[in-house]
Amino acid sequence: MTTDTSRNDATTPTATSSEATADGSAAPTEAAAPPTPFHDLDAYLALPRASGLALSPDGTRLVVGVAALNHDSTAYVTSQWDVDPSGERPARRLTRGTKGESQATFTASGDLLFVAKRAIGETGEDKAKPALWVLPAAGGEARVLATRPGGVGGITAARAADTVIVTADTLPSATDTESEQRLRDLRSDNKVNAILHTGYPVRYWDSDLGPDRPRLFAAEASSAVVASAPDQAPEDEADPDAPLELRDLTPDAGAHLTNTGLDLSADGATAVTSWNRPMAKGAVRSILVRIDVASGERTTIADEAEADLGAARISPDGTRVAYLRETLSTPESAPEVTLWIAGIDGSDPQRIAAGWDRWPASFAWLPDSSGLLVTADDDGRSPVYKVTLDGTLSRLTPDDGAYSDVVVATDGSVAYALRSSYAHPAEVVRIDLADGATEPVTALRSPSPRPSLPGTLREVETTAVDGSRVRAWLAVPEGASEADPAPLVLWIHGGPLGSWNAWSWRWCPWLLVAQGYAVLLPDPALSTGYGQDFIQRGWGAWGEAPFTDLMAVTDAAEALPEIDGTRTGAMGGSFGGYMANWVAGHTDRFKGIVTHASLWALDGFGTTTDAGYFWGREMTPQMALANSPHLSVERIATPMLVVHGDKDYRVPIGEGLRLWYELLSKSALPADEDGRSPHRFLYFPDENHWVLTPQHAKVWYQVVGAFLAEHVLGQEAPVLPETLG
């Protein structure tokens, strides 16, 4: 469906005899330092992880978030770091809250805003709600700037004015802060968490929606920040302890702002936001709405019956808005994502770069409003492109990276971004925007440098049965050769509208490579980055071209001299888990299959997922009957490891429970009279679609490693971690 502490603060614990290695076996006491962090799960979990990027309006300060393990390695905490845009100075840590900081945003005057849970007044940190904090550009300690009874969710600041818009979940009948707090206390004191719904959706990923819903609140940041001018009279100074005065811009928003995006004009006068419009039969469609910040008056500027509109960005000169248009899918037609611009009042909408057969993912305006920098999946990468308003398209980044979080300097000479690939995690880079730049991309001094890898990355491609080109990344362990070939794991991506092109901490092939496996990361039919026709090949026919593409590219990998085609496994999560289930029922070529958060029975999935209206547009009864893996359960003769989290609302736990029971009762490898089976079920009661907490992620890789070692390598079942009991 188209709708993850610095290096010098991180530690790399040494394994002890009471812990387990990545393959589930006991680790020796006082183990030697691993050759790479991927040879030891504790070392891997301790690697710092960069995300989010903010640039000050004057272009002199660049801030990135870095997540690191907390003191007991049970959670990740994100701090904000200053990165030198020139690349000369080392990165410097700015924040040190024990619960972390997020949503870093600069005000027009250069103050750094962020959201954090910290103790405020008599409220201890354990009961604190996320609040808006400010770290003044003039120096000094961070202080709280705004609070809401339900916490602060997001921040948007104007680039050339003091205006700030805060997003905060608010109970529907609350009329002011006092009534909001009273209602929340009433629910808490009476232990009531019931929600009465009148519309759809009711859940999202792992969150129950309601009864509170997002509203937008406007404020003037300068009203609560002490001015730094040396000649300012004391009586004219703002109160350093004064909170922002938040004005409710959307008291009647209801569910219209749930999971939407917002942008604010440079002068702070106008906001443009996505706005959910309910439709018949539980469907929801997204339109664009302009909000006058002074009055709160709303005007619809873009509304199309056959498309979702979102990701709006206002041009620096305030005259235009750029946005993404995603057509509503049908059983016969896949969605198409395109880039559009219109006047700030919605006039004269037009598609930009109409002949470009790629899906734009994110974009940022050039400072003179002459065009945009756009990222898009392309052939296993996600480069940055420059697109002018007349449709001229040029690629700016020539490497294999996947770029995100692009921000542009005010003078238009450079941009900054996060760059990753399956060769390295996200790092901060500078992009030279001059025509013909000799070094278009330069890595800056990041707080999270690249870790050493246990192998090499290459590409594999083949021709599918219908003549289409299919490609993949292949991670190969050091030392693999014709004389000593590596076993192979086929890892299928989720989505299905996606691509293996950016580093993933959650789905990291190098942990398996460190155990001696080669890992194949293919982009079959339905993948993005290969044109609309490539997506359409698999639309409504998941078990056809996506499956035959996967088998064809696996054949190509197995033909390589360094690959042992007699020892192979397959795995996938979400849609990749669906494909793993389909593979299990349609071939016995693999020795073991891991299926995570997977779709199993399409006759029920579409109405229980958190966005049933989306699947209802594609998943007809005929499509479900033709493509449901559960109808082939009797043919499954391969041991399977089923993994599912109970808080998964995208693929509800019922899919995993039904899969598990039917494997035991109907597959070609049924359980015996004592319930013993070669299949396994790894269940996480409090994880969602992913497995995010560090120690649960460790267990996930330990169990997966043990399962593959037993069934793909033919080893005795390794000892599982003690944390499983």
Side-chain angles (χ1 to χ4, degrees):
M1 182 178 177
T2 51
T3 21
D4 201 106
T5 303
S6 72
R7 183 64 153 179
N8 52 8
D9 284 344
T11 59
T12 305
T14 300
T16 67
S17 58
S18 63
E19 298 174 329
T21 59
D23 65 2
S25 59
T29 304
E30 299 298 330
T36 76
F38 305 95
H39 286 84
D40 182 276
L41 280 171
D42 291 313
Y44 170 74
L45 293 174
L47 290 172
R49 307 167 178 206
S51 64
L53 205 59
L55 180 67
S56 63
D58 64 6
T60 62
R61 297 183 63 198
L62 188 62
V63 170
V64 64
V66 180
L69 287 175
N70 64 0
H71 68 283
D72 59 2
S73 300
T74 58
Y76 287 102
V77 176
T78 299
S79 55
Q80 301 301 316
W81 286 71
D82 185 89
V83 174
D84 180 13
S86 71
E88 297 177 359
R89 300 187 308 275
R92 178 174 63 94
R93 188 170 179 172
L94 298 175
T95 63
R96 297 180 179 273
T98 59
K99 299 293 185 181
E101 299 84 20
S102 64
Q103 306 277 336
T105 306
F106 281 100
T107 66
S109 58
D111 299 315
L112 183 66
L113 306 178
F114 57 85
V115 173
K117 283 185 180 182
R118 298 184 180 184
I120 301 174
E122 297 181 358
T123 302
E125 194 172 71
D126 58 330
K127 295 184 179 181
K129 298 287 187 180
L132 176 62
W133 289 72
V134 60
L135 189 62
E141 296 295 322
R143 66 179 185 82
V144 67
L145 200 56
T147 62
R148 287 289 302 167
V152 169
I155 323 162
T156 306
R159 301 291 287 176
D162 293 325
T163 307
V164 173
I165 291 183
V166 170
T167 304
D169 287 346
T170 305
L171 291 167
S173 58
T175 57
D176 53 30
T177 303
E178 290 72 22
S179 66
E180 168 87 1
Q181 189 63 61
R182 183 186 67 80
L183 291 169
R184 290 185 178 276
D185 290 344
L186 182 65
R187 286 176 63 85
S188 176
D189 294 344
N190 288 280
K191 301 189 183 306
V192 172
N193 58 10
I195 304 168
L196 179 62
H197 290 283
T198 60
Y200 193 85
V202 300
R203 309 197 294 183
Y204 186 73
W205 286 117
D206 62 349
S207 299
D208 297 300
L209 301 180
D212 54 3
R213 297 287 189 171
R215 293 188 194 175
L216 303 179
F217 296 84
E220 300 302 315
S222 61
S223 67
V225 179
V226 176
S228 57
D231 57 349
Q232 185 176 24
E235 60 269 20
D236 294 333
E237 293 182 351
D239 181 357
D241 297 318
L244 285 180
E245 297 180 5
L246 298 178
R247 295 183 290 108
D248 192 346
L249 290 180
T250 55
D252 59 341
H256 294 292
L257 289 170
T258 300
N259 300 313
T260 58
L262 171 77
D263 195 33
L264 186 59
S265 61
D267 63 5
T270 303
V272 174
T273 181
S274 306
W275 191 266
N276 295 323
R277 170 161 289 181
M279 300 167 61
K281 300 180 180 180
V284 178
R285 184 165 53 80
S286 179
I287 66 174
L288 295 182
V289 168
R290 186 180 74 240
I291 302 175
D292 181 83
V293 175
S295 66
E297 180 182 356
R298 291 195 303 270
T299 305
T300 297
I301 61 171
D303 182 355
E304 296 191 36
E306 302 302 324
D308 282 318
L309 311 175
R313 295 291 180 269
I314 301 172
S315 61
D317 63 11
T319 63
R320 299 179 180 91
V321 60
Y323 58 94
L324 297 182
R325 178 184 185 271
E326 180 178 339
T327 58
L328 302 187
S329 59
T330 71
E332 296 78 26
S333 299
E336 183 178 8
V337 180
T338 50
L339 178 63
W340 289 66
I341 62 166
I344 192 65
D345 60 355
S347 60
D348 192 26
Q350 54 186 297
R351 180 179 173 182
I352 300 299
W356 187 29
D357 192 17
R358 293 293 183 267
W359 283 12
S362 65
F363 53 90
W365 280 96
L366 294 171
D368 63 359
S369 302
S370 64
L372 305 108
L373 300 188
V374 184
T375 65
D377 290 352
D378 180 67
D379 205 48
R381 290 92 172 151
S382 187
V384 178
Y385 298 86
K386 178 180 176 180
V387 183
T388 61
L389 297 190
D390 65 5
T392 302
L393 179 75
S394 57
R395 178 170 172 169
L396 299 179
T397 55
D399 52 48
D400 292 337
Y403 289 78
S404 66
D405 300 86
V406 178
V407 291
V408 187
T410 304
D411 64 4
S413 62
V414 297
Y416 303 92
L418 294 180
R419 176 183 64 181
S420 75
S421 74
Y422 271 94
H424 61 85
E427 60 188 7
V428 185
V429 298
R430 182 178 66 243
I431 304 170
D432 191 336
L433 300 183
D435 293 336
T438 56
E439 294 186 17
V441 184
T442 302
L444 301 181
R445 299 184 67 175
S446 174
S448 51
R450 297 184 182 185
S452 299
L453 298 178
T456 56
L457 190 69
R458 57 169 293 184
E459 291 188 85
V460 175
E461 65 176 66
T462 191
T463 302
V465 293
D466 65 355
S468 299
R469 170 179 171 266
V470 179
R471 60 158 302 285
W473 294 108
L474 178 66
V476 182
E478 294 290 348
S481 65
E482 186 172 6
D484 186 18
L488 179 70
V489 174
L490 165 67
W491 201 331
I492 311 165
H493 73 63
L497 304 175
S499 170
W500 285 123
N501 58 25
W503 182 276
S504 171
W505 292 105
R506 182 64 200 93
W507 314 118
C508 183
W510 297 108
L511 292 167
L512 294 181
V513 173
Q515 297 176 43
Y517 298 94
V519 181
L520 185 67
L521 305 169
D523 281 351
L526 291 173
S527 298
T528 53
Y530 305 91
Q532 191 69 22
D533 288 345
F534 195 82
I535 296 170
Q536 189 64 44
R537 291 175 60 233
W539 193 254
W542 294 355
E544 297 179 18
F547 171 67
T548 55
D549 285 2
L550 290 170
M551 296 304 98
V553 76
T554 301
D555 290 341
E558 289 180 354
L560 298 172
E562 63 268 37
I563 302 300
D564 181 356
T566 67
R567 296 185 295 165
T568 60
M571 59 193 294
S574 193
F575 178 81
Y578 160 87
M579 284 306 311
N581 295 337
W582 186 266
V583 166
H586 290 80
T587 179
D588 60 0
R589 68 185 292 173
F590 299 103
K591 305 298 185 183
I593 293 176
V594 180
T595 178
H596 172 96
S598 63
L599 291 70
W600 173 242
L602 299 190
D603 57 356
F605 162 77
T607 55
T608 59
T609 183
D610 58 356
Y613 59 88
F614 179 91
W615 298 107
R617 295 198 293 256
E618 174 189 358
M619 198 176 292
T620 64
Q622 295 77 16
M623 182 270 190
L625 184 65
N627 295 277
S628 190
H630 84 286
L631 298 176
S632 301
V633 64
E634 290 86 355
R635 301 207 299 265
I636 294 179
T638 305
M640 297 188 70
L641 169 60
V642 179
V643 188
H644 221 109
D646 204 279
K647 289 290 289 180
D648 186 349
Y649 294 165
R650 180 53 47 95
V651 182
I653 184 61
E655 294 294 299
L657 294 174
R658 182 172 174 178
L659 166 57
W660 178 237
Y661 178 74
E662 292 187 349
L663 282 177
L664 297 185
S665 62
K666 296 181 180 181
S667 77
L669 299 172
D672 63 20
E673 293 180 353
D674 295 325
R676 292 189 296 261
S677 169
H679 303 304
R680 295 290 183 269
F681 183 20
L682 179 59
Y683 169 66
F684 293 96
D686 54 359
E687 292 286 357
N688 58 21
H689 196 59
W690 303 276
V691 177
L692 298 180
T693 57
Q695 296 307 313
H696 278 164
K698 181 177 179 178
V699 167
W700 192 95
Y701 278 105
Q702 287 172 321
V703 173
V704 168
F707 181 83
L708 294 175
E710 178 181 1
H711 296 288
V712 175
L713 303 183
Q715 300 177 356
E716 290 188 14
V719 177
L720 291 173
E722 290 185 338
T723 51
L724 286 176

